[in-house]
Each structure stands twice: as C-alpha cells, then as structure tokens.
C-alpha cells in the first residue's frame, strides 16, 4: 500500500523560494573580483536568479545543458548557480585552481555549453578557449564598466545579460531525480572524475546540514563560507543559508587572513568553514596582531585532518568551537561531523579533545562500514582499521559518463580512506589508502605523524611520506615548513615526537622545506611530495 501524501518534488529552486518567501530581507554580502563590495537581500537574489534563468533560456540553454562556472564565492555566483540548476540545467562549478590541462579535460568531458567566468579568469580562459570544444558563450561576470578587452568569442556582459529580463519566471516542476550540479574530483590519481548531483540528493543533503548538531546553521547565523563553491558546493552552505535564513558573507577572491578577519569582525560572522590551511594562516595572524574573533562561535574544518593544536587554540584562546567534519566530492560532500553525542559529553576535556581530533560520527543519511581488502566487515572496536565504505541518498552511484557502477556488490562506495570506528561511533581516518606507509608489513599513519609534528610551536606545516627502505620496504620521512624566524633541527623534532608516537613510527629522517605542494582542494599533495623525494636516500641506507 502506498502512502497518500503529496508528491512535492525535492528541488533546489524550493530552497531559494523558501529564502525569498520566509526571509526576504536577510542580507547577502559579497566582495567583488573587480574590486569593491556589494550588498542585497534574499528577495533580490531570488529575483536575479529568475532573471538569469530567463536570460539563459532566451540564449538557447536547454534542460540538461551543462552550465559551467569559473568563479569565486560571490552573490553573482550564487544567483547563477541556483539559476542553472533551477531551470533544469546542470551547474558545473569548475575549480580554477586545477592545472590548465585538467581544466580543458573537465570542460570538454562535461560538454559545457556556456561558461560564466569572473573577470580575473579572462586571461586564463583566453589561452584555453581554442581547446574548449563545446562552449558556445562566455559570460564575464561584471557590469559594462568593468568589461575587459578580450579575444574570447561570443562574449556577454553578465549584468546586461541578467538585467535585460524582467524576472517574470516560474521555476519548472522537474522530476526530483533530475541532474542538478556537477563537480569533478581533483584527480589526485588519474583524470578527474565527475560527480553528478541530483535535485533530490542536494535537497536531502541540505536538510541534514541544517540539523542542530551538524553545522550550527539557523536563522540567527551569519555565515562566511570560505570554502569555495567549486569545492563540493561550498559544503552545501549556500543552499542551507537560503533555506534557514542565515546571512551569507561571501569573500570573493580574497583568502588572505587580513580580509577574512575584517569580514569576521565587520559583518559579525558567527559561523565559518574552510580547510585547515586557511585556519593555520588565520591563527598566526590573530596571534601576531593580538586580535580576537569577534562574535564567531563555530568553525567547521574539514578536507584534511585537523591537528589537535588547532582545535585547542581555537577553543581555549578564542572561545570558538571546532566542528571537525569529514566528507568528499562523492558525498556531496558531508559524511560525518564531530559534534559530541551524549556519551562523549561525559568525558573529561582532554578525552573530548581526543574525540574531536577524529573525523566524527556519521550524519543521518550516511551509513558507514569498515571492510578489509577481501570485503569482510570489520568490527567498530576502536582498533580494526580498513577501507571506509559509505552509502546513502547523496553518495555517488556512478561517475559521470563512466558507464559503470562505482559501488561494490553490497552497494557500498569505497572512499579510498583507511579508517576505524571507535566505541562512541566516531570514525577516525588513519590515512588515504594510497598514502599509508607500509613498514615491514605494518601500517604507519602519515596523518597521525603530521598532526603530532605540527603540534611543535616551531612547525607551520608538516607532510609525511613513505620512502624506500631496503629492509622495511618503506619508512616515514617527515618534511616540515618552519614558522617564520624559527629553526627546528631534526634532533629537536625527534625528541619532541618521542613518547607521543609508537617507537617504530619514528620518522627515519626530518627535512626542512620552504613549502609543501598542495592540491587544488588545499590538501598536501602527497603525490608531488613523493615525486620530489623519489630519489631520496634515508640515512644509513
Ligand atoms: P579531492 O578531489 O582532492 O579528492 P575531496 O574534497 O573530495 O577532494 O577529498 C576527499 C578526501 O579528503 C577524503 O577522501 C579524505 O581523504 C580527505 N578528507 C576530507 N576530510 C577529512 C578530514 N576531516 N580528515 C582527514 N581527511 C579528510
């Protein structure tokens, strides 16, 4: 027997409409790539999104067409992102930090029909345009007064494009399983792979993001999503902000701690989210200039493991609660979140901190399992580590145009992460499967070593890789970036680690580097680091 309730399709245009109807005067603030800043309301945003959808339809963009964006977090990007999906197209947020060859590959693979780009990316796209096989129109996201001279073909000025319409437009009532957005993984191994989100998956993901324990988002929240929209939809924050009535503060192309801090203070931000590297710079800036965080209460950190020292500094020195999140492009991206449950609430502060360093408990809508290499399920005992498997309504089923399932026989997606589950139901990533150091048949977690190493006050960043060892196969090499004006010798570093890690995990060598290579999503690029040290000989070998 079927239920007898309304079949109201779960569409992202409904999230936008909810913001417009229920919170019309809530503000959106945006820094602009062409310079200056801008402020308007949810009502204005929704109107402009409708105008943008009208304009695209007039230009010949049809349902199912891929609408690419190469843009920072701005009000224009948000309105266009809703417009592309809402009208039945597929908004494809392209990560401008990828290499040119990857950008060409991705846009051709997606068969993008139109590209909306920030004015800052015009020189880059002028070089790539001859190789972009399917793009018919280039829309530069500025007003006429800031339109550059350009060799791009079929160029459109965004403000004129949008403002030529009247906004008298109804969002189509699509099937909720219609494709809505496209995001490519950064391709740390092989070519980037496309993850094709649906309206339903993004809508359900938003409902979970809005739960009390998840990202602390509500009608009173003022959110600065530093995480870019091209990084898994800014972790779903713009959808959630519109749905909940939270003020959105968008930092445009600015990621420097000075600007971010100015925004925190001036716009009275209460919640923000980004990868650890952003916060590393911010904490240094706060300390050096003796600043505070204003009204900031919550910071969500994910994308890479969050070091204990970072959690402690935020909480003890600035009174800001750290939410350690785990996710990936394939999970829309949210998988687990570190807010305490009732069992953890009973623990001592030190023990709570231990739990916060883990990647959190699965959110409603995400199931997790740990399997060994033969596909056997491992117990959640805090010891057995294996492949982290996930399933749920916003987890990838197959990669875009791959033609094959990405799931195992039981319907689980293999995340490529190695993890364990503790007795409180908190998941802990010990490594990415390809980054674990295999020493004499045992596994050493590069993440654990890095987290300990950055606890040293003279260390700004640390990366650990396995390098060849004739007896043990691989041994850990610790690469550190020193804090400005500090020197940390190998002996000091090893003495610091002594007692904090198992003896046989002790790095065989410590080298100081000017900087560590990073991927387009802000993680330490272990692949590049391994390349850099591929001929490295450990002492005594
Ligand atoms: P990429 O395109 O680089 O794969 P993703 O954001 O999809 O970008 O990366 C997802 C991966 O990031 C996860 O599989 C995991 O290895 C890592 N990751 C994400 N959050 C965390 C975290 N809190 N701690 C450790 N690793 C994390």
């Amino acid at each position: 027997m079927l239920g007898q309730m309304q079949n109201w399709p779960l569409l992202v245009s409904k999230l936008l409409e909810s913001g417009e109807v229920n919170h019309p005067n809530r503000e959106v603030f945006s820094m602009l790539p062409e310079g200056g800043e801008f402020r308007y309301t949810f009502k204005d945003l929704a109107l402009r999104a409708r105008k943008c959808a009208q304009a695209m339809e007039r230009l010949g963009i049809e349902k199912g067409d891929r609408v690419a964006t190469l843009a920072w977090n701005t009000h224009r990007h948000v309105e266009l992102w809703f417009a592309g999906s809402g009208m039945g197209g597929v908004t494809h947020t392209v990560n401008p930090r990828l290499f040119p060859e990857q950008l060409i590959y991705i846009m051709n693979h997606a068969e993008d029909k139109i590209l909306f780009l920030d004015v800052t990316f015009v020189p880059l796209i002028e070089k790539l345009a001859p190789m972009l096989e399917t793009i018919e129109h280039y829309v530069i996201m500025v007003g006429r007064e800031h339109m550059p001279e350009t060799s791009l073909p079929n160029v459109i000025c965004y403000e004129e494009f949008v403002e030529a319409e009247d906004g008298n437009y109804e969002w189509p009532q699509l099937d909720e399983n219609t494709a809505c957005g496209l995001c490519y993984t950064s391709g740390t191994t092989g070519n980037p792979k496309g993850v094709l989100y649906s309206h339903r998956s993004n809508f359900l993901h938003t409902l979970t993001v809005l739960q009390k324990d998840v990202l602390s988002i509500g009608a009173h929240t003022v959110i600065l999503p530093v995480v870019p929209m091209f990084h898994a939809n800014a972790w779903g924050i713009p959808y959630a902000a519109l749905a909940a009535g939270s003020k959105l503060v968008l930092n445009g192309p600015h990621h420097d701690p000075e600007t971010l801090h100015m925004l925190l203070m001036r716009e009275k931000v209460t919640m923000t989210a980004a990868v650890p590297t952003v916060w590393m710079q911010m904490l240094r800036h706060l300390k050096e200039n003796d600043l505070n965080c204003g009204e900031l209460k919550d910071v969500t950190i994910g994308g890479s493991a969050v070091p204990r020292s970072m959690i402690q500094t935020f909480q003890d020195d600035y009174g800001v609660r750290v939410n350690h999140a785990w996710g990936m492009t394939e999970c829309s991206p949210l998988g687990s979140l570190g807010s305490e449950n009732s069992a953890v609430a009973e623990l001592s502060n030190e023990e709570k901190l231990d739990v916060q360093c883990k990647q959190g408990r699965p959110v409603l809508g995400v199931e997790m399992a740990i399997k060994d290499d033969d596909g056997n399920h491992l117990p959640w005992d805090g010891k057995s580590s294996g492949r982290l498997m996930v399933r749920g309504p916003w987890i990838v089923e197959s990669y875009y145009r791959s033609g094959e399932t990405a799931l195992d026989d039981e319907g689980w997606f293999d995340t490529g992460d190695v993890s364990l589950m503790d007795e409180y139901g908190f998941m802990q990533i010990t490594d990415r499967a390809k980054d674990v150091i295999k020493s004499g048949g045992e596994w050493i977690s590069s993440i654990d070593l890095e987290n300990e190493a950055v606890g040293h006050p003279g260390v700004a960043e640390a990366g650990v890789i396995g390098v060849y060892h004739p007896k043990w196969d691989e041994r850990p090499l610790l690469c550190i970036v020193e804090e400005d004006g500090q020197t940390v010798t190998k002996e000091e570093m090893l003495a610091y680690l002594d007692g904090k890690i198992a003896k046989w995990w002790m790095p065989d060598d410590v080298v100081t580097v000017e900087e560590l290579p990073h991927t387009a999503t802000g993680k330490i690029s272990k692949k590049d680091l391994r390349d850099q040290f591929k001929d490295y000989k450990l002492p005594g070998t």
Side-chain angles (χ1 to χ4, degrees):
M1 191 190 293
L2 294 176
Q4 290 178 271
M5 306 308 279
Q6 295 182 12
N7 187 4
W8 187 85
L10 307 179
L11 302 175
V12 300
S13 53
K14 308 275 193 196
L15 302 170
L16 179 64
E17 278 178 337
S18 170
E20 180 181 22
V21 172
N22 301 313
H23 312 276
N25 298 319
R26 201 58 164 136
E27 242 181 33
V28 177
F29 168 85
S30 180
M31 307 282 288
L32 303 175
E34 68 270 31
E37 39 184 76
F38 183 79
R39 210 179 279 277
Y40 67 175
T41 63
F42 281 12
K43 196 165 153 228
D44 303 323
L45 189 158
L47 175 66
R48 293 253 301 182
R50 286 197 299 274
K51 289 183 178 184
C52 184
Q54 270 180 309
M56 279 196 263
E57 284 191 359
R58 192 180 303 283
L59 196 65
I61 305 298
E62 294 174 356
K63 292 197 170 50
D65 281 346
R66 268 75 72 208
V67 173
T69 70
L70 195 68
W72 301 112
N73 290 1
T74 65
H75 71 290
R76 293 185 185 116
H77 198 182
V78 176
E79 59 199 29
L80 138 74
W81 184 69
F82 273 111
S85 308
M87 64 173 279
V90 179
T91 309
H92 172 200
T93 44
V94 183
N95 183 346
R97 294 187 182 130
L98 294 173
F99 300 122
E101 310 80 64
Q102 290 176 317
L103 291 173
I104 296 166
Y105 170 85
I106 284 176
M107 288 192 261
N108 287 339
H109 186 264
E111 299 177 321
D112 293 326
K113 191 156 174 188
I114 181 168
L115 174 65
F116 289 79
L117 67 158
D118 274 341
V119 66
T120 32
F121 299 124
V122 169
L124 168 70
I125 293 300
E126 281 175 342
K127 287 201 203 87
L128 307 190
M131 276 85 78
L132 300 176
E133 291 159 6
T134 56
I135 294 179
E136 294 172 12
H137 308 278
Y138 293 88
V139 187
I140 302 179
M141 293 163 71
V142 282
R144 174 56 56 191
E145 66 284 15
H146 291 107
M147 278 295 279
E149 286 275 321
T150 174
S151 61
L152 285 175
N154 303 330
V155 168
I156 296 170
C157 163
Y158 182 83
E159 287 297 327
E160 288 177 358
F161 183 61
V162 169
E163 288 305 332
E165 305 297 330
D166 60 10
N168 192 2
Y169 178 87
E170 294 251 336
W171 296 111
Q173 296 302 299
L174 309 163
D175 180 320
E176 65 184 24
N177 288 304
T178 305
C180 166
L182 180 60
C183 217
Y184 280 73
T185 63
S186 62
T188 32
T189 50
N191 273 329
K193 295 192 278 274
V195 181
L196 189 62
Y197 307 122
S198 67
H199 282 263
R200 176 185 149 83
S201 70
N202 279 343
F203 195 103
L204 292 172
H205 183 265
T206 305
L207 294 186
T208 284
V209 166
L210 287 174
Q211 284 173 17
K212 180 170 174 291
D213 287 344
V214 178
L215 295 193
S216 310
I217 293 179
H220 296 285
T221 316
V222 179
I223 309 182
L224 169 62
V226 181
V227 53
M229 288 165 64
F230 52 75
H231 194 178
N233 292 328
W235 301 350
I237 291 173
Y239 289 135
L242 264 291
S246 325
K247 172 174 162 179
L248 257 185
V249 179
L250 304 167
N251 53 310
H254 306 285
H255 292 85
D256 58 291
E258 290 80 9
T259 309
L260 295 180
H261 185 259
M262 179 277 288
L263 290 177
L264 285 186
M265 302 306 283
R266 205 187 64 188
E267 301 300 320
K268 301 188 168 40
V269 171
T270 62
M271 184 271 182
T272 177
V275 294
T277 43
V278 168
W279 303 123
M280 223 155 52
Q281 292 174 32
M282 175 62 93
L283 288 176
R284 192 178 312 145
H285 176 69
L286 293 174
K287 191 167 159 210
E288 281 171 6
N289 298 286
D290 200 16
L291 301 169
N292 64 43
C293 293
E295 301 190 21
L296 188 65
K297 291 186 189 62
D298 292 283
V299 55
T300 298
I301 316 182
S304 300
V306 186
R308 189 186 182 93
S309 53
M310 181 175 282
I311 302 176
Q312 235 167 350
T313 309
F314 261 123
Q315 295 185 163
D316 296 352
D317 298 355
Y318 300 102
V320 176
R321 197 165 61 103
V322 172
N323 245 332
H324 186 176
W326 171 88
M328 61 195 309
T329 307
E330 286 90 335
C331 304
S332 300
L334 192 61
S336 59
L337 212 282
S339 57
E340 63 185 47
N341 56 16
S342 56
V344 174
E346 307 284 313
L347 303 176
S348 71
N349 282 345
E350 274 303 301
E351 289 166 329
K352 280 186 187 174
L353 203 56
D354 290 341
V355 174
Q356 276 189 298
C357 292
K358 301 180 181 179
Q359 278 67 17
R361 52 198 170 95
V363 293
L364 174 69
V366 175
E367 292 176 355
M368 291 188 173
I370 310 284
K371 289 191 179 186
D372 66 15
D373 282 343
D374 299 325
N376 303 311
H377 285 260
L378 297 178
W380 292 17
D381 58 3
K383 293 195 294 280
S384 310
S385 87
R387 294 177 167 274
L388 174 65
M389 316 294 288
V390 289
R391 61 184 184 195
W394 55 81
I395 310 290
V396 69
E397 182 176 291
S398 57
Y399 288 105
Y400 181 54
R401 293 182 58 193
S402 73
E404 60 183 23
T405 178
L407 311 182
D408 73 3
D409 298 347
E410 295 180 328
W412 294 98
F413 172 72
D414 184 342
T415 63
D417 286 331
V418 179
S419 351
L420 51 86
M421 281 285 185
D422 74 9
E423 63 273 35
Y424 305 112
F426 278 66
M427 184 269 287
Q428 181 180 1
I429 303 245
T430 51
D431 230 321
R432 270 200 157 183
K434 52 189 181 298
D435 295 338
V436 283
I437 298 155
K438 298 188 177 99
S439 173
E442 298 288 342
W443 288 5
I444 298 175
S445 158
S446 64
I447 293 188
D448 279 359
L449 286 180
E450 287 159 11
N451 283 346
E452 289 298 348
V454 293
H456 187 293
V459 175
E461 204 176 5
V464 173
I465 48 169
V467 289
Y468 172 72
H469 190 284
K471 178 166 177 204
W472 302 109
D473 284 341
E474 275 184 352
R475 288 295 303 160
L477 168 69
L478 167 60
C479 305
I480 55 171
V481 180
E482 291 163 343
E483 286 282 4
D484 285 349
Q486 305 247 24
T487 312
V488 183
T489 63
K490 172 179 172 182
E491 290 67 32
E492 278 168 359
M493 194 68 234
L494 295 181
Y496 174 80
L497 291 176
D498 193 22
K500 296 189 170 66
I501 54 171
K503 281 232 168 326
W504 63 277
W505 282 32
M506 199 53 88
D508 280 31
D509 206 1
V510 180
V511 292
T512 301
V513 291
E514 279 292 300
E515 60 177 352
L516 289 168
H518 287 93
T519 69
T521 44
K523 303 182 213 310
I524 296 171
S525 173
K526 295 291 179 70
K527 183 167 148 270
D528 290 338
L529 198 58
R530 278 193 290 265
D531 279 353
Q532 214 172 309
F533 285 95
K534 69 177 185 307
D535 299 322
Y536 191 75
K537 277 199 161 316
L538 289 169
T541 62

